[in-house]
Amino acid sequence: RKGDSLLEHKVDGPITLFLLSGNINFVVGNTKTNIKSNSMIVLEKAIPHDVEVLEDSTFVLTIIQP
């Protein structure tokens, strides 16, 4: 939901996040990437990251488990 955030976290496998609708910021270290509807981001395993929700959003998250 708009205004929510998921502070720094990481997962054991690589991830893909496909944003179906909305607008989020995906933060890795000092780099903030804005992701809008119909966009995808890919992240290797065990990389700390934050998520900031700028608009109500719907996404598909895939985590590849080792």
Side-chain angles (χ1 to χ4, degrees):
R1 291 194 160 100
K2 181 179 179 177
D4 286 348
S5 61
L6 186 56
L7 298 179
E8 187 174 285
H9 62 284
K10 60 184 177 180
V11 295
D12 293 334
I15 67 167
T16 63
L17 185 141
F18 181 73
L19 193 63
L20 298 168
S21 65
N23 187 358
I24 65 172
N25 282 330
F26 199 88
V27 184
V28 177
N30 293 326
T31 303
K32 183 181 289 191
T33 303
N34 182 252
I35 304 171
K36 295 182 180 179
S37 297
N38 297 314
S39 297
M40 177 181 274
I41 194 160
V42 177
L43 191 65
E44 292 297 324
K45 67 179 182 175
I47 296 178
H49 58 281
D50 298 353
V51 179
E52 303 168 342
V53 183
L54 305 176
E55 297 175 6
D56 288 350
S57 301
T58 305
F59 58 88
V60 175
L61 175 65
T62 304
I63 303 172
I64 309 300
Q65 294 297 321

